[in-house]
Amino acid sequence: MKICISAESTIDLPKELLEEFEISTIPFGVILGDKSGKDGEITPDIIYDYVDRTGVLPKTSAINYAQYSEYFQDLLKKYDAVIHFALSSEISSACQNAMNAASELKNVFVIDTRSLSTGIALQAIYASKLVKEGLKPEDIVMKVSERIPNDQTSFVLATVDYLYKGGRCSGLAKLGAMLFRIRPQIIMGNGKMSPGKKYMGKQVECVANYCRDTLEQFNNPDLSLVFVTHSGATPEMVEVAKKALEEKGFKRIIETVAGATISSHCGPKCLGILYMNDGGR
């Protein structure tokens, strides 16, 4: 049986990794004032320049029912089944739109990842491995779903300005963060973004402390794979994160850069480490 693993552009994987793990994608839309484009065509640098010039955040456009329906039908012309990994239903309507489209088709399965960015990739890559092992779609969905609660997705922000512009942080909190150089940790839990620890000082030091605390809190990692995903972090920040992960014993450390959709919410120089916290399977 030929099975397609699919996701949205919010999976934040470059073309070469999508090809390596045989993952198909469909892009979110991004709206900057009176202009619009697709995630991928519009880059994070374009986002940051737009925000700097206008002081306004761009809007992201979830994929609608009709777009999913056409996309799934095209995939079914080449595959016997499709397993689609959707951005958390708690933060986007995309997941429900995908489910609605899939309900009208045979052999299309939609998984609510309860995650974002390369947290989605962790699940999709596991599914790709199971496809190669010859499992049926229903069994793959079951096995992936069992791992979702252990998907450790978190990151540390360089600035709260984008949260403030997006209405997720008060003016007082923004002022305090600026005065004291506070870099908050954000953790995905139950499909939602929740605040974690607050770090103060230089970004490199904050990244080091964030990695240490995350690895201590989520201390049963699947050491086969970990992502360092960022929105334009400095080489020093990335190196600090990679060093912490190497010392922990991760076998494959993949650096990726967040796309326009994710970057438009977290802002520049955000960095996260993402891995399955279930000891491996």
Side-chain angles (χ1 to χ4, degrees), residues 34 68 80-81 117 160 180 185 206 208 267 278:
D34 59 354
Y68 277 119
D80 300 309
S117 190
V160 298
F180 297 104
Q185 177 192 32
C206 291
D278 59 7

Side-chain angles (χ1 to χ4, degrees), residues 19 81 95 249:
E19 291 176 351
C95 183

Side-chain angles (χ1 to χ4, degrees), residues 16 30 47 72 74 100 121 133 142 151-152 164 192 200 250 268:
E16 58 268 23
V30 182
I47 297 288
F72 290 149
D74 285 344
N100 290 342
E133 292 177 1
M142 180 184 69
D151 186 327
Q152 190 291 122
Y164 170 70
K192 300 178 182 179
M200 296 174 61
F250 281 97

Side-chain angles (χ1 to χ4, degrees), residues 195-236:
K197 295 188 176 183
K198 294 181 176 65
Y199 300 99
M200 296 174 61
K202 296 179 180 179
Q203 288 176 317
V204 171
E205 295 172 355
C206 291
V207 167
N209 291 333
Y210 152 74
C211 291
R212 179 202 63 213
D213 292 344
T214 300
L215 291 168
E216 287 180 356
Q217 181 178 358
F218 303 97
N219 59 4
N220 186 34
D222 176 351
L223 294 173
S224 65
L225 175 65
V226 61
F227 285 99
V228 177
T229 299
H230 61 88
S231 54
T234 66
E236 292 78 13

Side-chain angles (χ1 to χ4, degrees), residues 91 116 152-160 163 168-169 183-189 191-199 210 214 217-218 265-266 270-274:
I91 56 179
L116 53 75
Q152 190 291 122
T153 293
S154 66
F155 45 94
V156 61
L157 298 175
T159 173
V160 298
L163 290 183
R168 296 184 178 89
C169 130
R183 328 277 189 186
Q185 177 192 32
I186 304 295
I187 300 173
M188 287 296 295
K192 300 178 182 179
M193 292 185 288
S194 302
K197 295 188 176 183
K198 294 181 176 65
Y199 300 99
Y210 152 74
T214 300
Q217 181 178 358
F218 303 97
H265 294 288
C266 68
C270 168
L271 182 146
I273 57 173
L274 304 92

Side-chain angles (χ1 to χ4, degrees), residues 250-270:
F250 281 97
K251 297 178 178 63
R252 186 173 184 186
I253 301 170
I254 301 178
E255 176 187 352
T256 72
V257 178
T261 300
I262 299 301
S263 295
S264 69
H265 294 288
C266 68
K269 296 185 179 179
C270 168

Side-chain angles (χ1 to χ4, degrees), residues 38-277:
K38 295 179 179 179
D39 188 354
E41 297 173 350
I42 294 179
T43 65
D45 285 341
I46 293 174
I47 297 288
Y48 305 146
D49 178 67
Y50 175 79
V51 175
D52 288 343
R53 286 188 293 104
T54 66
V56 178
L57 284 185
K59 295 180 180 179
T60 54
S61 175
I63 301 142
N64 62 37
Y65 167 88
Q67 291 168 323
Y68 277 119
S69 183
E70 180 181 1
Y71 171 69
F72 290 149
Q73 289 181 67
D74 285 344
L75 289 177
L76 287 172
K77 293 175 184 177
K78 298 178 286 185
Y79 297 90
D80 300 309
V82 176
I83 302 175
H84 180 75
F85 290 80
L87 180 64
S88 175
S89 62
E90 295 289 345
I91 56 179
S92 173
S93 62
C95 183
Q96 189 59 55
N97 294 342
M99 288 181 173
N100 290 342
S103 69
E104 303 291 329
L105 301 167
K106 289 184 179 180
N107 294 328
V108 178
F109 305 82
V110 176
I111 293 177
D112 181 355
T113 64
R114 315 293 285 173
S115 192
L116 53 75
S117 190
T118 47
I120 298 171
L122 291 167
Q123 299 176 34
I125 289 169
Y126 178 54
S128 181
K129 175 185 174 184
L130 296 176
V131 168
K132 290 180 173 64
E133 292 177 1
L135 274 69
K136 296 179 181 178
E138 295 85 354
D139 294 331
I140 294 172
V141 171
M142 180 184 69
K143 285 183 172 292
V144 170
S145 297
E146 289 173 349
R147 297 193 81 181
I148 287 176
N150 298 312
D151 186 327
Q152 190 291 122
T153 293
S154 66
F155 45 94
V156 61
L157 298 175
T159 173
V160 298
D161 191 43
Y162 278 55
L163 290 183
Y164 170 70
K165 292 181 186 300
R168 296 184 178 89
C169 130
S170 69
L172 184 61
K174 177 191 174 186
L175 178 61
M178 291 174 62
L179 288 174
F180 297 104
R181 292 196 297 175
I182 295 174
R183 328 277 189 186
Q185 177 192 32
I186 304 295
I187 300 173
M188 287 296 295
N190 297 318
K192 300 178 182 179
M193 292 185 288
S194 302
K197 295 188 176 183
K198 294 181 176 65
Y199 300 99
M200 296 174 61
K202 296 179 180 179
Q203 288 176 317
V204 171
E205 295 172 355
C206 291
V207 167
N209 291 333
Y210 152 74
C211 291
R212 179 202 63 213
D213 292 344
T214 300
L215 291 168
E216 287 180 356
Q217 181 178 358
F218 303 97
N219 59 4
N220 186 34
D222 176 351
L223 294 173
S224 65
L225 175 65
V226 61
F227 285 99
V228 177
T229 299
H230 61 88
S231 54
T234 66
E236 292 78 13
M237 293 165 65
V238 174
E239 186 59 33
V240 163
K242 287 183 176 180
K243 182 178 179 181
L245 298 171
E246 288 169 357
E247 290 176 352
K248 186 67 177 179
F250 281 97
K251 297 178 178 63
R252 186 173 184 186
I253 301 170
I254 301 178
E255 176 187 352
T256 72
V257 178
T261 300
I262 299 301
S263 295
S264 69
H265 294 288
C266 68
K269 296 185 179 179
C270 168
L271 182 146
I273 57 173
L274 304 92
Y275 55 88
M276 283 293 184
N277 189 49

